[in-house]
C-alpha cells in the first residue's frame, strides 16, 4: 500500500486529475490511513536569525539581501525553553527551532542547541530542528540529546534548484536527509510553491520525496511568502488550487506522512484552508510568527479548529515517549 517506486508520469497524472476528483481521491486516501479530524499543531522559533551566507532567493535571512530582518545571535537556552512552554500552553505538541545557518558547526553554539533540544524534549513536546546541513555525527548527537525530527527541505525540483539557490547543491540536501535518517531521526522535508517554478518542477520535487528509500514522516508545503529585498519579492501569489493540488498529490503518494500546510496561511481564508485539510493536510504552524514572517493569530486558528471540527494531535502519537527519549 505504501509505495516508494512511483514514476514521474504517475505522479503527473495524479497532479493533473480534474480538481474535484483529485480532492475526493486524496480525502479518501487520507481517511483510509489517518484520522482526518486530527491536525498536528507545531510552533516555530527562530533561535538564530539572519546573517546567513547562503543565497536562497526566497529567504529574508540571507545576509546578501537587504531585508527588514534584524540579525540576532543564538538565543539563550532558558529563553528558548520559556518560548517552548508558552507554545505548549497554547496547544502545540511540536516545537521546531530554526537557525539561519548554512550548516551546523561543531562549536559552542551547537552545544547550546543540544541543551535546547534536551530541555524541550523533557517537556514532553516533539522537538524538531532546522539548522542547515548536518553530518552523520552531528545527527547522532542531536538524536542523543532527544531530537525527534529534523526539517530540511528540498524546496523544489532538482532541475529548478539552481535557479533558486547556487551556494549548495541538491545532492548536499539529499545527503543531509540520509544522515538524519541514518541517526533514526524523523524526517521532515518538503518545499515551496510560487517561486516561478513550472508544474513539472512541483511534480519533480514530489517524485524525489516519494521515491526516497522511506517517505519523510512530515512534508511541509509552503506557499512563498514574498519578502521585500529578496530576489523573489515580486512573485505573484499562487492560487489556492495549486496549493490544493500539491497537498492532495502528496497525500495520495505518501499516504501516511503528515502533510503540513505551512507558510502562506496569512493570505488564505478559512474556506481555502478547509479545502487544504479536505485534500489531506493534517498539520499547521501556529503562533503569530513563522520564523520571521507573520502567521495567523492563535485565537483565529482555535476558532478555525472549532468551526471545522478539527482536534489537535497528541505528541508522540502511537509511540512510547520514554522509549524515544532514552533510545
Ligand atoms: N537555514 C536552514 C536551511 O535553510 O535549511 C533552516 C532554516 S530555513 C529558513 C527553512 C525553510 O524555510 C527553507 O528551506 C524554506 O523552505 C522555508 N522558507 C524560507 N523562507 C521562506 C519564504 N519566504 N516563504 C516560504 N518558505 C520559506
Ligand atoms: C518549513 O517548511 N516551513 C517553515 C519551517 N519549515 C522551518 C519555515 C517557513 C519560513 C517562512 C519565512 C519566514 O517566516 O522567515
Ligand atoms: Fe540561509 Fe536557510 Fe535562509 Fe537559505 S533558507 S538563506 S540556508 S536561512
Amino acid at each position: 500500500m505504501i509505495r516508494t517506486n512511483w514514476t514521474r508520469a504517475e505522479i503527473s497524472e495524479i497532479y493533473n486529475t480534474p480538481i474535484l476528483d483529485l480532492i475526493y481521491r486524496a480525502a479518501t486516501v487520507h481517511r483510509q490511513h489517518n484520522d482526518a479530524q486530527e491536525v498536528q499543531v507545531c510552533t516555530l522559533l527562530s533561535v538564530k536569525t539572519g546573517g546567513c551566507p547562503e543565497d536562497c532567493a526566497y529567504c529574508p535571512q540571507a545576509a546578501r539581501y537587504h531585508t527588514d530582518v534584524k540579525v540576532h545571535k543564538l538565543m539563550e537556552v532558558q529563553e528558548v525553553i520559556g518560548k517552548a512552554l508558552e507554545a505548549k500552553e497554547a496547544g502545540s505538541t511540536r516545537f521546531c527551532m530554526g537557525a539561519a545557518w548554512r550548516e551546523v558547526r561543531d562549536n559552542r553554539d551547537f552545544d547550546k542547541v543540544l541543551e535546547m533540544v534536551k530541555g524541550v524534549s523533557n517537556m514532553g513536546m516533539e522537538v524538531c530542528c532546522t539548522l542547515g546541513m548536518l553530518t552523520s555525527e552531528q545527527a547522532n548527537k542531536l538524536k542523543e540529546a532527544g531530537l525527534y525530527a529534523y526539517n530540511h527541505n528540498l524546496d523544489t525540483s532538482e532541475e529548478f534548484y539552481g535557479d533558486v539557490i547556487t551556494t549548495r547543491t541538491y545532492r548536499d540536501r539529499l545527503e543531509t536527509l540520509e544522515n538524519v535518517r541514518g541517526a533514526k531521526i524523523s524526517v521532515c522535508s518538503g518545499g515551496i510553491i510560487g517561486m516561478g517554478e513550472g508544474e513539472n518542477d512541483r511534480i519533480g520535487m514530489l517524485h524525489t520525496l516519494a521515491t526516497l528509500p522511506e517517505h519523510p514522516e512530515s512534508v511541509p508545503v509552503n506557499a512563498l511568502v514574498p519578502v521585500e529585498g529578496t530576489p523573489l519579492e515580486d512573485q505573484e501569489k499562487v492560487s489556492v488550487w495549486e496549493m490544493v493540488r500539491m497537498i492532495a498529490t502528496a497525500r495520495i503518494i505518501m499516504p501516511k506522512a503528515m502533510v503540513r500546510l505551512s507558510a502562506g496561511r496569512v493570505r488564505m481564508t478559512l474556506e481555502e484552508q478547509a479545502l487544504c485539510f479536505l485534500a489531506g493536510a493534517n498539520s499547521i504552524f501556529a503562533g503569530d510568527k513563522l520564523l520571521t514572517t507573520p502567521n495567523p493569530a492563535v485565537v483565529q486558528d482555535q476558532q478555525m479548529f472549532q468551526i471545522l471540527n478539527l482536534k489537535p494531535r497528541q505528541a508522540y502519537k502511537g509511540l512510547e515517549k520514554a522509549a524515544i527519549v532514552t533510545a
Side-chain angles (χ1 to χ4, degrees):
M1 284 252 265
I2 306 282
R3 288 179 51 194
T4 55
N5 63 350
W6 293 98
T7 65
R8 209 158 157 149
E10 283 175 313
I11 297 175
S12 171
E13 202 185 318
I14 296 171
Y15 185 92
N16 287 300
T17 308
I19 191 73
L20 296 180
D21 291 333
L22 177 61
I23 297 173
Y24 180 71
R25 181 167 166 196
T28 309
V29 170
H30 190 30
R31 279 153 185 76
Q32 283 163 354
H33 291 268
N34 310 292
D35 175 349
Q37 251 192 339
E38 204 175 72
V39 171
Q40 185 182 41
V41 182
C42 318
T43 295
L44 278 168
L45 177 68
S46 182
V47 296
K48 187 268 168 183
T49 308
C52 182
E54 298 290 90
D55 71 350
C56 311
Y58 49 76
C59 188
Q61 303 198 65
R64 64 191 73 202
Y65 311 135
H66 300 284
T67 67
D68 281 343
V69 169
K70 290 204 175 45
V71 177
H72 195 296
K73 68 172 174 46
L74 188 66
M75 287 172 71
E76 292 307 323
V77 177
Q78 279 317 313
E79 206 184 342
V80 172
I81 306 285
K83 294 279 182 192
L85 259 175
E86 273 175 37
K88 189 179 175 181
E89 274 158 18
S92 272
T93 53
R94 183 182 283 211
F95 190 68
C96 180
M97 299 178 278
W101 287 332
R102 168 189 166 76
E103 77 243 314
V104 168
R105 305 252 174 93
D106 297 298
N107 56 19
R108 262 184 291 173
D109 273 358
F110 184 42
D111 295 338
K112 245 169 134 178
V113 170
L114 293 172
E115 287 305 309
M116 294 172 190
V117 169
K118 267 186 209 149
V120 178
S121 164
N122 285 335
M123 287 170 36
M125 293 181 95
E126 292 180 14
V127 51
C128 174
C129 279
T130 180
L131 315 167
M133 296 187 277
L134 276 190
T135 63
S136 54
E137 290 75 22
Q138 292 163 341
N140 288 332
K141 280 190 186 162
L142 284 163
K143 172 74 186 180
E144 267 168 44
L147 190 78
Y148 182 65
Y150 195 80
N151 165 254
H152 199 63
N153 289 340
L154 290 179
D155 283 340
T156 188
S157 68
E158 183 163 15
E159 295 83 352
F160 192 63
Y161 193 80
D163 286 28
V164 182
I165 303 156
T166 68
T167 48
R168 51 172 154 63
T169 65
Y170 214 64
R171 186 66 242 155
D172 290 332
R173 291 249 121 184
L174 290 167
E175 262 169 35
T176 292
L177 293 181
E178 281 168 26
N179 295 340
V180 171
R181 188 52 93 199
K184 302 210 169 5
I185 295 171
S186 178
V187 173
C188 172
S189 187
I192 308 178
I193 65 170
M195 303 189 294
E197 73 288 342
E199 266 179 10
N200 244 326
D201 297 307
R202 296 178 189 164
I203 291 161
M205 180 186 85
L206 290 173
H207 180 241
T208 305
L209 292 171
T211 55
L212 289 171
E214 255 181 282
H215 294 162
E217 282 77 11
S218 161
V219 178
V221 179
N222 296 278
L224 175 76
V225 180
V227 179
E228 210 180 312
T230 62
L232 296 181
E233 63 182 0
D234 290 327
Q235 281 296 319
E236 253 178 58
K237 179 178 182 276
V238 286
S239 123
V240 67
W241 305 114
E242 312 201 38
M243 213 49 193
V244 167
R245 278 193 190 280
M246 275 307 276
I247 290 169
T249 308
R251 171 53 64 218
I252 293 166
I253 63 179
M254 294 174 277
K256 282 203 167 300
M258 306 291 304
V259 177
R260 191 172 347 268
L261 171 57
S262 303
R265 286 198 304 121
V266 262
R267 295 203 284 176
M268 294 173 79
T269 62
L270 184 143
E271 291 81 356
E272 289 175 335
Q273 295 181 63
L275 274 173
C276 294
F277 294 126
L278 187 60
N282 60 350
S283 170
I284 57 163
F285 286 118
D288 43 3
K289 217 156 76 167
L290 289 165
L291 288 171
T292 66
T293 64
N295 196 46
V298 170
V299 278
Q300 208 178 319
D301 283 340
Q302 285 168 348
Q303 276 172 4
M304 174 171 79
F305 271 52
Q306 266 188 349
I307 293 170
L308 302 179
N309 260 291
L310 300 173
K311 57 178 191 208
R313 177 183 164 108
Q314 70 191 68
Y316 297 107
K317 197 184 171 204
L319 295 167
E320 198 54 58
K321 162 89 167 74
I324 297 154
V325 174
T326 54

